[in-house]
Amino acid sequence: MAVRGDIRNVAIVAHVDHGKTTLVNAMLQQSHVFSEREEVPDRVMDSNDLEREKGITILAKNTAVKYTGPLAAELGEPDGITINVVDTPGHADFGGEVERGISMVDGVVLLVDASEGPLPQTRFVLRKALESKLPVILCVNKVDRPDARISEVVSESTDLLLGLAQDVSEEGVDLDLDSLLDLPVIYCAAKAGKASVNQPADGGLPDNDDLEPLFDAILKNIPAPVYEEGAALQAHVTNIDASDYLGRLGLVRIYNGTLKKGTQYGLSRVDGSVEHFKLTEILRTQGLDRVPAEEAGPGDIVAVAGVEDIMIGETIVDPDDPKPLPLIHVDPPAISMTFGTNDSPLVGTEGKDHKLTARMLKDRLDHELIGNVSIKVMPTERPDAWEVQGRGELALAILAEQMRREGYELTVGRPQVVTQMIDGKLNEPMESDTIDVPEEYMGAVTQLMADRKGRMDSMSNHGSGWVRMQFTVPSRGLIGFRTALLSATRGTGISSSISAGYAPWAGEISTRQNGSMVADRAGKASPYAMQKLQARGNFFVKPQDPVYEGQVVGVTNKPGDLDINVTLEKHMTNMRSATADVLETLTPPIQMSLEESLDFANEDECVEVTPESIRVRKIILDRDAWYKWNARQRRANQKSQ
């Protein structure tokens, strides 16, 4: 096998908010990608508006840095070594992006927070790396945190690595367990742009002024790409992008052979057929830019143009000797939501050029399938609604939010779990949930989990006033859990979860104790009616907001739905009143985001999503029809019991 010594392909993997994108930022700056006069934004790789707003990485993205330090000459590459860096999401809901990113590289840098240590998504991304038999570099980040506990985190990470390696080996993956014992460890403060091989004191900065030790570890521990000389072309499509001038681009990792601009190649499709096409452009990544190239060889990660409908998982091959690579494997979906057209009385009334029709909605969902390998779109009994399955409610809520910003009006149903029949028994997906809370809220969180059929697996106290608890809980028990956790812990609780396989159906779970206040007629919310009704609960609408029959306008203080006339106006009389204006006495309405609305919605409710508004409403708007439906449901439940 021949070796391409001037390239390294590495992915940076970690739990959410452990500093992946910040570290990539520092690597780009110290590789002189930006000019001295250029103003570099924080988290420059998070180019998506939603990524910047939420502070998380949603899409896997790649960049390239040119290392020209002293080690390059020592390794026989005096002109420098190109390090292709893939920045992956840290949330398991975007696991398809992680699997796609890992399929492109030859090793991973595992980033772990020096205080929080390994968390569920750390386990998720590390397991994916081990299943692909990739070498691992441990990078302990944020060592300058005042609550850092570096030695314990290194020990926990090593134990996690060896435990996962043992599990993966038992599943038939041939791992070199001895090499994992010699795990390279780098101590880093990504925000300060410093890294060292020497462990600093807890809360102290590394004893080095740059990231040179990290670059050294990557070059020495991540193997250079290998290939067979004279082998047939194999270039795997791992991502999709678009250009205003070139149309759709396929991001490919070349394993064997050479791609040349203007040459005829074959594209091995998902169904096994081979389509001939002409390669019109090759774009090589330099920093954050793509520059044209005439050819690309083994080990290169490049963008190519020439096929309008190129798909993830396909392989560019030699048309005379096609040898396609295996398709990218992704874990099956666990959560589903129903996406349908908006049929509320306010449809199309809030702005021009909104996308309203079923055809537009289906085209958008089909377009999402091209670049998102971890979702499925299934038909339903209704011609204007589709069941969209994904890893978790966050991933599907992000899709709905993106569509809202693109001008679509739609309704989104409450998240449901994707069940399976195993040995004739109904099974549901389970989650392993890790919760960090202050000690005084431990009892409240335990009660919340007990109500959701959660089982505590372990509990640890690091002596800092915080407790870490691990639960195994049905996935449907975590729908809406984040809001309840924040309420119970005064906004301090931190929860993160990962799939724990399937288990028998755990029984009925009641997640919402309070009922909905439902408008019984259309009109505009009046201050007079709201002032009279606010003792019954809290409102989602403010005075003069348009409402319609079946819209959920608030949440009650007690269980059970309450039909209200929120449009009632005060009758005029010829008597003077000293309290004419009651607007000032109204409690401000609750403002809910799309994710919070999906968490709040009951089984018989859905969320109306438009570019201007987010409303919770009943699926059946007519109140008489809803009461009849509800009565039939109660009778059916009584018979089944």
Side-chain angles (χ1 to χ4, degrees):
M1 300 287 282
V3 178
R4 182 87 183 270
D6 62 336
I7 289 180
R8 298 291 189 277
N9 296 319
V10 62
I12 298 182
V13 297
H15 183 80
V16 177
D17 200 31
H18 279 196
K20 298 178 302 298
T21 308
T22 303
L23 180 62
V24 174
N25 232 48
M27 294 173 72
L28 288 168
Q29 286 179 315
Q30 295 190 21
S31 302
H32 308 293
V33 168
F34 308 109
S35 65
E36 294 181 2
R37 297 180 180 179
E38 190 173 355
E39 185 176 342
V40 183
D42 288 337
R43 297 186 293 113
V44 70
M45 292 292 285
D46 282 348
S47 53
N48 186 306
D49 287 342
L50 274 173
E51 290 179 319
R52 290 195 169 279
E53 287 176 22
K54 295 182 177 294
I56 61 173
T57 299
I58 296 172
L59 302 172
K61 293 172 285 292
N62 73 300
T63 184
V65 299
K66 189 84 169 180
Y67 175 79
T68 55
L71 190 60
E74 291 180 27
L75 295 174
E77 301 293 341
D79 295 332
I81 297 175
T82 299
I83 303 176
N84 289 310
V85 181
V86 179
D87 181 19
T88 62
H91 203 293
D93 279 14
F94 308 107
E97 300 288 327
V98 175
E99 287 149 350
R100 212 160 65 187
I102 285 178
S103 71
M104 302 162 61
V105 299
D106 302 304
V108 298
V109 174
L110 175 67
L111 212 62
V112 181
D113 188 292
S115 172
E116 296 180 4
L119 284 169
Q121 269 75 48
T122 312
R123 171 183 290 272
F124 171 77
V125 294
L126 184 56
R127 185 183 181 89
K128 293 298 178 187
L130 291 176
E131 287 174 349
S132 300
K133 298 196 285 190
L134 299 178
V136 177
I137 298 170
L138 176 62
C139 183
V140 182
N141 192 27
K142 303 185 184 181
V143 293
D144 53 337
R145 282 185 59 160
D147 56 349
R149 46 185 192 93
I150 302 172
S151 297
E152 293 94 326
V153 167
V154 171
S155 177
E156 291 170 8
S157 303
T158 306
D159 291 345
L160 174 63
L161 177 68
L162 295 176
L164 285 176
Q166 186 68 35
D167 292 345
V168 171
S169 296
E170 291 174 357
E171 292 174 5
V173 179
D174 184 20
L175 286 179
D176 184 1
L177 296 177
D178 292 334
S179 67
L180 295 175
L181 294 171
D182 190 21
L183 179 69
V185 182
I186 304 295
Y187 305 94
C188 182
K191 203 164 188 178
K194 297 181 178 183
S196 175
V197 294
N198 302 317
Q199 180 177 329
D202 288 347
L205 285 169
D207 60 359
N208 189 57
D209 292 332
D210 54 25
L211 296 176
E212 187 69 24
L214 176 62
F215 286 119
D216 286 1
I218 290 173
L219 297 181
K220 290 178 179 176
N221 295 283
I222 305 299
V226 296
Y227 61 98
E228 294 182 39
E229 290 192 48
L233 173 67
Q234 291 178 310
H236 210 192
V237 182
T238 57
N239 208 344
I240 299 294
D241 205 345
S243 164
D244 293 338
Y245 305 102
L246 300 171
R248 186 183 295 183
L249 302 174
L251 191 69
V252 302
R253 158 75 192 264
I254 304 173
Y255 287 90
N256 286 304
T258 303
L259 285 176
K260 294 184 179 179
K261 181 179 175 181
T263 305
Q264 292 282 341
Y265 293 108
L267 181 66
S268 177
R269 294 292 195 176
V270 175
D271 60 4
S273 62
V274 177
E275 177 183 322
H276 292 240
F277 74 100
K278 181 180 180 180
L279 189 64
T280 57
E281 189 65 84
I282 298 175
L283 299 174
R284 193 183 297 274
T285 304
Q286 289 184 2
L288 300 177
D289 300 321
R290 288 191 175 128
V291 296
E294 292 299 317
E295 65 177 43
D300 278 328
I301 297 175
V302 295
V304 298
V307 186
E308 288 186 1
D309 55 346
I310 194 168
M311 296 280 286
I312 290 171
E314 297 174 340
T315 308
I316 299 176
V317 296
D318 184 339
D320 299 325
D321 185 16
K323 293 182 178 178
L325 293 164
L327 296 174
I328 297 173
H329 169 74
V330 295
D331 291 340
I335 296 290
S336 72
M337 294 183 190
T338 300
F339 283 53
T341 55
N342 184 13
D343 58 355
S344 88
L346 299 179
V347 59
T349 62
E350 296 181 333
K352 296 181 179 179
D353 302 324
H354 287 187
K355 301 178 178 70
L356 310 172
T357 66
R359 181 185 59 80
M360 290 178 173
L361 187 61
K362 182 62 166 64
D363 288 347
R364 177 61 180 84
L365 293 175
D366 288 342
H367 178 74
E368 185 69 19
L369 288 172
I370 295 171
N372 191 339
V373 295
S374 58
I375 72 166
K376 294 180 180 179
V377 177
M378 316 287 287
T380 65
E381 296 176 355
R382 290 170 46 196
D384 61 345
W386 295 268
E387 181 185 345
V388 182
Q389 300 179 350
R391 289 288 181 80
E393 58 177 316
L394 176 61
L396 297 180
I398 290 288
L399 171 58
E401 178 66 24
Q402 287 173 334
M403 294 174 67
R404 182 176 85 86
R405 297 184 181 202
E406 293 167 12
Y408 289 86
E409 289 196 24
L410 64 153
T411 55
V412 183
R414 174 181 170 82
Q416 306 287 339
V417 295
V418 179
T419 58
Q420 292 183 1
M421 294 299 293
I422 302 176
D423 296 331
K425 292 184 178 181
L426 182 65
N427 280 247
E428 63 177 327
M430 306 293 287
E431 302 278 332
S432 177
D433 192 42
T434 300
I435 302 174
D436 289 305
V437 292
E439 291 174 344
E440 61 263 32
Y441 299 122
M442 186 176 67
V445 172
T446 305
Q447 183 61 47
L448 278 177
M449 272 295 177
D451 293 341
R452 287 164 167 76
K453 309 291 186 182
R455 183 186 71 247
M456 184 182 289
D457 298 323
S458 66
M459 182 175 65
S460 57
N461 191 327
H462 299 308
S464 60
W466 284 65
V467 176
R468 173 168 294 177
M469 296 177 283
Q470 288 190 321
F471 294 87
T472 300
V473 59
S475 297
R476 59 195 169 98
L478 293 181
I479 295 172
F481 173 70
R482 187 172 60 91
T483 304
L485 175 67
L486 292 176
S487 299
T489 62
R490 305 295 189 271
T492 58
I494 302 171
S495 171
S496 51
S497 61
I498 185 175
S499 173
Y502 278 74
W505 186 263
E508 185 179 350
I509 296 177
S510 177
T511 57
R512 203 178 101 193
Q513 303 301 321
N514 297 36
S516 300
M517 289 200 289
V518 186
D520 65 357
R521 68 198 70 194
K524 288 189 176 181
S526 73
Y528 176 74
M530 294 176 68
Q531 197 261 347
K532 294 289 185 184
L533 291 164
Q534 67 178 354
R536 299 292 189 95
N538 296 312
F539 283 101
F540 300 149
V541 297
K542 56 184 184 295
Q544 301 306 313
D545 277 356
V547 298
Y548 53 83
E549 182 182 5
Q551 179 182 338
V552 177
V553 295
V555 55
T556 65
N557 297 329
K558 299 178 180 179
D561 289 350
L562 178 67
D563 284 359
I564 61 171
N565 178 9
V566 76
T567 66
L568 181 66
E569 295 284 355
K570 184 178 181 181
H571 293 297
M572 300 298 292
T573 70
N574 60 356
M575 300 293 291
R576 293 179 179 270
S577 173
T579 58
D581 188 4
V582 297
L583 187 62
E584 295 179 6
T585 66
L586 286 176
T587 305
I590 299 173
Q591 301 288 332
M592 292 198 299
S593 67
L594 175 57
E595 291 169 49
E596 290 168 338
S597 298
L598 289 168
D599 287 347
F600 174 83
N602 262 332
E603 298 288 341
D604 62 339
E605 296 167 354
C606 63
V607 181
E608 178 189 356
V609 181
T610 76
E612 283 76 24
S613 306
I614 296 171
R615 304 182 186 92
V616 181
R617 46 158 283 193
K618 293 294 182 181
I619 296 175
I620 301 173
L621 294 178
D622 182 83
R623 299 310 293 151
D624 291 336
W626 180 86
Y627 278 113
K628 292 175 182 176
W629 172 85
N630 196 36
R632 288 195 299 269
Q633 293 294 111
R634 284 201 305 270
R635 287 195 294 269
N637 290 337
Q638 289 171 356
K639 288 181 180 179
S640 64
Q641 292 173 0

